[in-house]
Amino acid sequence: MATDPGLPDVTLTIDGRQVTVPEGTLVINAAETAGIYIPRFCYHKRLDPAGACRMCLVEIEGIPKPQTSCTVPVKPGMVVHTDTEAVRQMRASILEFILMHHPLDCPVCDKGGECDLQDWTFTYGTRLQRHDFPRMHFRKAHRIGGHIVLDQERCIECYRCVRFLEEWGEGLRFAFHERGDRSVIETFGGLPMAETRFVGNTIDLCPVGALTSETFRFRGRPAELVNAESICPHCSVGCNIIASARPTLGFFCRVTPRPNMAVNDYWICDRGRFNYDWLDEDRLLAPGWGRGADRQDGTWDETLDRLAADLQPPCESGAALLVDSSVGCEDGFVAAKLLRAALSSNAIYQSDPAAGWPGLTGTITDVARCDLVLAVGLDLWTDLPILWLRIHRSRHLGRSRLVSVASADGVALERCDIGLRVAPGAELGLLRGLAELRGGSADASRADALAAQTGADREQLLRLVKRLRRASRVAALGGALAGFEGLAEGLAGVAGPGGVWGIVPTGANTVGLDWVGVAASRLPGGVPLGDAKARTALAGAWSAPVAAEEAPSSLAEALETGRARRVLVVGGDPIGAGNDPLAQALDRAEVLAYVGTNANATAERADYVLPMAAFSEVTRCVVSLERRIQHSSPCDRPRGESRAGWSILAALGRRLGVGFDYESWEDVRREIAACHESLGTLAELGPRAREGAMKP
Amino acid sequence: MVSQAGIDEIRRLAASFPRRESALLPALWVIQREEGYLPEESLRVVARELSMEPSDVTSRASFYTMFALRPRGQYVIQVCQSISCALVGAQQVIDHLRGRLGIEVGETTHDERFTLLTVECLASCGSGPVMQINEDYFEHLTVERVDEILDGLP
Ligand code: SF4
Ligand code: SF4
Ligand code: FES
Ligand code: FES
């Protein structure tokens, strides 16, 4: 359990060693600070203690009976023994008891090799069982939804999974049923769960093979995996993950969380965990050209030569670039440089509409520490799950409230304390009104007027105003559903000085791409395009002219006005993404080149396909919604002939006569750093910067 | 399916607690009284009314042995098997019922007339063996008394 760092220290003795820890620390954790790891099944640092398994028993002088070290807080002068003959005997007995009805099917159990029960049995077990009655049997290999496979027989009733569900916001999607020796984990009616958000974490928490991953099942033993410290590419929270693959067999294996208390705590969401089939399925494996039936594969040289000839300036129809907001900084930087220096165009765009708007002024932790979080036009539960979870944790501990404002019914208005529905377009008016009501005198008639003006429910609004007036720190977060014009000012007004506010991007690297210059009106480092001195300096560094002409404000506009007819798409699937106006506009492109990972609608329509290695196959860096710069390492080899995005774009750039001399991602980062002083942090960041640095 | 009157009662119960889910056990009794057991659809209704996860409801309902999650016979026979009754012949009563009804403990006859259960002390230890049929007690049982009682049921 977390202890307040401000608490006084307590000194005690554990196995003859003096240990000093803050008051309230549990004996099990105090022992760990002294380098003594007490065996455990039910205890987990991020769950409330349960005392369910008895594996952590220790002897404490002056207390006649053995004590569960996971539930006993330290006391001054306490003398604890964790390694006596009696304690070892107790551990053996507990293991014998736990194994009484255990199926012992380790050879076919997915947990084998990373199973706490196996490990502790090898360390402390007796390897003998004295009972001769038959084992009880329960349901095996039962798919309970959420990509989880449940084996009821293997469950040792540690309650970790259900405590997680209760304490971290998902709710009891499954729970213990029956009692005594018949207790089993079960969903409602044994039916599969629908639409889970965080349940995948119970797989990691389960100390045995009772909860296993449907997508990883039988894909490899832990020792066979190649693991890498990576960053989840699915949203802007930037959860730290371990990505695992078996490159020799050619498939990706799994994603598990890598604890980072500043970002994702010990968790990831189910999207980040299970959404990886695209790494193995429908990949673009070879470069090629031609639409539909005319598509033919070629070599890299041939394909790039043809594309370069098609793009070669001068040419009356300009070029444009669309970068998916999940693409890494290296790829985005080289793509934008290609446009500015080789294709003399500033028509450079990202897929995330929040790109370029004022971002979050604080960190995720700052948001979670506010006593009121106001989310406007932002569906945190769906789009930024772990941000929701961090806020929810504060709610669970009674420290915070979450208020959601949206103009349409839906999940955004659920999963919060107050869900305020307003008329479409009334968000800004509401924010302004709230800012006044927060600071000024509490005047019920003003609140009434605001309710009438915004179409908000009067009672709900009054509750919100009351909360707001009482709140000492407010976070105001805005999203695309509210429209961006004027939003930032509105958010800042409600948050007030000392609060946290900002428009929250959703792309895994929206912030990073904007920073390295993937923006029509900003050069690397966020320097305005209009800054002639900066352009000259950049031209010097790149030994190439840098386009000065202002570009239209959106890609659709650039295409519709005919200012761009040759389009380079890097990552994502803009044609298949459901944005019809953009898809139609892209369809009018004369030349559409797609640098991407998968055979999707955009690849289908493209005149050139250039297969790109996926996030798990390259070294890259991304910047999260809180401006955390994070380094991501590969666990896998690029599929087929695919290559890192930056290397494809550099090869194209060289054919267009501009110097793009990179041997590795490090060279790219070095060049990024040279573009602007602020970008130095990004280049210095190597695999060892585990916490990530913050973008200045 | 639970009746509107049942739902109204559950709502009244929920409103009488500071936390709605505290009304769970009385709400389950409302269902069992109406339907004889706790059907899944009705448990969903309870979950909705008390703002609980459905599996949380079944978790608690299945913990308590006096709630039935499956349909039971018209007559639920519960025979005490605790020590005082055991000493004066509870096992003969149980065996006789198994033979006469042709079912094992925990089962229901095909005609859905009888469910046979064994329970712990019914708090009538001085007058064992004891069984309870639905809400009624029958004491000082012998095999013959059991036949008489069963024959006399409407
Ligand atoms: S399923 Fe796993 S985590 Fe859940 S109680 Fe059983 S052993 Fe513990
Ligand atoms: S919250 Fe976002 S970054 Fe974290 S695991 Fe989920 S999708 Fe990935
Ligand atoms: S770890 Fe202490 S009782 Fe389970
Ligand atoms: S022992 Fe049977 S009623 Fe008490």
Side-chain angles (χ1 to χ4, degrees):
Chain A
M1 225 175 4
T3 44
D4 192 327
L7 288 173
D9 284 345
V10 169
T11 300
L12 69 161
T13 310
I14 304 180
D15 293 348
R17 286 176 232 182
Q18 291 257 310
V19 185
T20 302
V21 289
E23 188 182 323
T25 306
L26 297 166
V27 171
I28 198 169
N29 290 330
E32 218 174 309
T33 60
I36 301 162
Y37 191 83
I38 298 175
R40 67 197 69 178
F41 291 113
C42 69
Y43 182 70
H44 186 280
K45 285 206 175 59
R46 302 302 291 153
L47 301 175
D48 293 345
C53 73
R54 324 308 281 182
M55 189 63 194
C56 66
L57 290 172
V58 294
E59 292 188 283
I60 300 177
E61 284 182 16
I63 307 181
K65 287 190 179 173
Q67 299 293 306
T68 47
S69 59
C70 72
T71 58
V72 178
V74 294
K75 295 252 160 38
M78 207 178 225
V79 181
V80 181
H81 300 282
T82 79
D83 197 28
T84 61
E85 189 46 42
V87 168
R88 276 193 296 274
Q89 185 56 45
M90 286 184 258
R91 289 173 186 162
S93 303
I94 295 292
L95 284 164
E96 186 179 0
F97 179 71
I98 289 177
L99 289 168
M100 201 149 66
H101 289 291
H102 197 77
L104 301 177
D105 51 359
C106 311
V108 293
C109 175
D110 240 27
K111 198 75 171 185
E114 54 183 1
C115 172
D116 292 352
L117 184 55
Q118 265 187 349
D119 294 351
W120 294 130
T121 301
F122 276 103
T123 320
Y124 296 111
T126 57
R127 296 171 202 196
L128 264 188
Q129 291 202 313
R130 289 171 291 176
H131 69 283
D132 53 7
F133 47 83
R135 291 188 143 74
M136 296 177 79
H137 288 292
F138 299 100
R139 205 143 158 197
K140 293 185 82 70
H142 176 32
R143 289 177 156 67
I144 59 169
H147 299 296
I148 292 180
V149 183
L150 166 68
D151 187 309
Q152 292 177 332
E153 292 184 343
R154 293 184 190 146
C155 171
I156 63 167
E157 280 144 59
C158 72
Y159 285 80
R160 276 189 184 182
C161 55
V162 291
R163 280 185 287 152
F164 171 78
L165 295 177
E166 281 199 291
E167 294 165 22
W168 290 88
E170 177 94 43
L172 280 173
R173 306 298 302 278
F174 53 74
F176 271 104
H177 284 69
E178 298 287 340
R179 61 160 135 171
D181 58 359
R182 282 163 299 142
S183 299
V184 285
I185 286 290
E186 189 57 284
T187 54
F188 177 75
L191 304 167
M193 305 172 280
E195 287 180 52
T196 61
R197 187 64 77 229
F198 303 112
V199 294
N201 291 299
T202 63
I203 299 171
D204 310 327
L205 286 171
C206 185
V208 295
L211 299 167
T212 54
S213 157
E214 190 175 33
T215 56
F216 175 57
R217 219 168 136 74
F218 307 136
R219 306 267 283 174
R221 288 283 181 213
E224 294 165 327
L225 308 182
V226 174
N227 303 311
E229 298 193 344
S230 178
I231 303 296
C232 174
H234 292 296
C235 89
S236 54
V237 174
C239 292
N240 294 201
I241 57 171
I242 295 175
S244 308
R246 298 183 69 180
T248 45
L249 298 184
F251 58 80
F252 188 84
C253 287
R254 68 173 177 186
V255 173
T256 44
R258 184 158 54 98
N260 183 337
M261 299 312 285
V263 182
N264 48 306
D265 207 301
Y266 271 60
W267 324 114
I268 52 174
C269 78
D270 290 352
R271 177 164 36 139
R273 181 184 299 269
F274 296 114
N275 183 350
Y276 60 75
D277 47 354
W278 57 278
L279 291 172
D280 287 327
E281 286 162 24
D282 297 326
R283 287 291 295 271
L284 295 174
L285 297 173
W289 61 85
R291 264 186 230 172
D294 295 334
R295 171 71 48 82
Q296 64 182 95
D297 289 351
T299 61
W300 272 111
D301 278 341
E302 219 179 334
T303 311
L304 287 170
D305 285 345
R306 282 170 176 265
L307 174 58
D310 253 357
L311 293 177
Q312 199 76 43
C315 175
E316 351 34 293
S317 57
L321 168 69
L322 174 62
V323 181
D324 188 79
S325 297
S326 68
V327 162
C329 288
E330 298 80 3
D331 301 354
F333 169 79
V334 177
K337 176 181 166 189
L338 181 81
L339 261 274
R340 293 206 157 98
L343 298 171
S344 55
S345 165
N346 281 308
I348 299 169
Y349 311 95
Q350 289 198 48
S351 61
D352 183 354
W357 293 95
L360 210 57
T361 57
T363 62
I364 295 174
T365 303
D366 292 337
V367 172
R369 286 206 182 123
C370 286
D371 46 5
L372 183 73
V373 180
L374 184 69
V376 183
L378 192 61
D379 183 353
L380 295 171
W381 170 261
T382 307
D383 294 331
L384 303 162
I386 292 291
L387 178 56
W388 181 90
L389 177 134
R390 293 279 313 272
I391 297 167
H392 175 81
R393 183 63 183 170
S394 300
R395 293 167 67 201
H396 179 80
L397 299 174
R399 296 178 191 150
S400 178
R401 291 284 178 271
L402 175 60
V403 179
S404 195
V405 177
S407 59
D409 280 334
V411 198
L413 294 182
E414 295 158 20
R415 301 280 178 181
C416 56
D417 298 291
I418 303 177
L420 196 63
R421 167 105 197 244
V422 296
E427 290 92 345
L428 273 189
L430 182 83
L431 285 174
R432 288 196 194 109
L434 286 177
E436 277 171 32
L437 283 165
R438 183 177 180 204
S441 61
D443 180 346
S445 68
R446 297 240 314 279
D448 280 345
L450 187 59
Q453 174 206 333
T454 58
D457 177 78
R458 183 174 170 278
E459 296 307 313
Q460 298 265 62
L461 185 68
L462 287 176
R463 271 177 67 204
L464 167 55
V465 170
K466 211 163 116 200
R467 287 241 168 254
L468 203 55
R469 294 177 63 87
R470 271 210 311 252
S472 54
R473 286 194 63 183
V474 174
L477 317 178
L481 302 173
F484 294 126
E485 214 59 60
L487 183 58
E489 293 74 20
L491 295 166
V494 177
V500 183
W501 59 272
I503 290 174
V504 184
T506 49
N509 195 25
T510 308
V511 178
L513 288 171
D514 192 75
W515 189 26
V516 297
V518 181
S521 54
R522 280 175 304 282
L523 301 170
V527 179
L529 178 69
D531 184 336
K533 244 173 70 195
R535 278 204 317 273
T536 316
L538 211 50
W542 291 352
S543 326
V546 171
E549 195 188 342
E550 295 268 346
S553 62
S554 78
L555 176 62
E557 191 188 328
L559 284 157
E560 263 148 32
T561 55
R563 288 197 42 199
R565 294 200 189 282
R566 299 168 299 161
V567 185
L568 188 60
V569 173
V570 181
D573 179 16
I575 294 187
N579 178 349
D580 291 338
L582 178 66
Q584 281 159 19
L586 279 171
D587 202 34
R588 281 201 287 276
E590 264 166 30
V591 178
L592 183 68
Y594 179 50
V595 181
T597 52
N598 288 79
N600 49 32
T602 307
E604 177 72 16
R605 161 63 184 79
D607 303 286
Y608 291 90
V609 288
L610 307 162
M612 177 166 74
F615 80 97
S616 51
E617 298 152 10
V618 297
T619 299
R620 60 186 219 143
C621 109
V622 289
V623 185
S624 75
L625 59 83
E626 57 175 352
R627 307 199 319 281
R628 189 175 300 275
I629 314 162
Q630 302 193 101
H631 178 94
S632 175
S633 301
C635 64
D636 207 348
R637 292 201 284 248
R639 291 281 185 278
E641 291 180 53
S642 64
R643 289 159 56 171
W646 58 263
S647 94
I648 300 170
L649 294 157
L652 180 60
R654 285 193 292 270
R655 284 171 168 78
L656 293 166
V658 177
F660 283 90
D661 304 315
Y662 321 118
E663 301 265 305
S664 71
W665 57 270
E666 281 157 307
D667 295 340
V668 182
R669 285 213 198 149
R670 223 166 280 132
E671 187 169 303
I672 295 175
C675 289
H676 188 259
E677 59 197 10
S678 78
L679 287 158
T681 12
L682 188 150
E684 286 155 19
L685 187 77
R688 256 163 309 194
R690 302 199 46 164
E691 295 286 301
M694 298 310 259
K695 170 179 179 288
Chain B
M1 196 58 181
V2 57
S3 68
Q4 190 52 49
I7 295 180
D8 291 342
E9 189 173 346
I10 291 172
R11 288 189 182 152
R12 270 198 305 281
L13 286 164
S16 66
F17 289 96
R19 292 174 48 150
R20 296 179 70 78
E21 64 173 87
S22 305
L24 179 62
L25 294 197
L28 294 178
W29 280 120
V30 171
I31 309 281
Q32 184 150 310
R33 197 185 61 216
E34 275 199 5
E35 308 190 64
Y37 76 112
L38 303 175
E40 235 165 67
E41 323 85 84
S42 302
L43 291 177
R44 271 194 205 280
V45 174
V46 171
R48 192 191 66 212
E49 291 300 329
L50 305 184
S51 316
M52 292 172 71
E53 279 291 335
S55 83
D56 197 4
V57 171
T58 45
S59 165
R60 291 164 204 240
S62 67
F63 181 87
Y64 296 102
T65 53
M66 288 162 92
F67 289 122
L69 290 165
R70 263 171 282 287
R72 299 190 297 190
Q74 181 186 358
Y75 299 106
V76 178
I77 307 174
Q78 306 182 69
V79 189
C80 168
Q81 60 173 4
S82 288
I83 186 76
S84 302
C85 291
L87 288 171
V88 294
Q91 194 56 47
Q92 282 95 307
V93 171
I94 296 168
D95 289 342
H96 180 67
L97 282 164
R98 284 167 55 219
R100 178 182 163 135
L101 301 174
I103 54 174
E104 287 305 315
V105 172
E107 293 180 350
T108 300
T109 54
H110 280 302
D111 60 4
E112 291 177 7
R113 214 166 129 77
F114 296 104
T115 297
L116 177 59
L117 301 172
T118 54
V119 294
E120 300 310 327
C121 187
L122 287 169
S124 186
C125 319
S127 45
V130 180
M131 70 177 174
Q132 182 183 344
I133 302 184
N134 293 351
E135 306 291 307
D136 299 318
Y137 267 37
F138 299 90
E139 301 165 309
H140 298 296
L141 295 177
T142 58
V143 166
E144 294 73 31
R145 270 282 289 153
V146 169
D147 281 336
E148 257 172 58
I149 295 163
L150 260 55
D151 290 340
L153 289 173

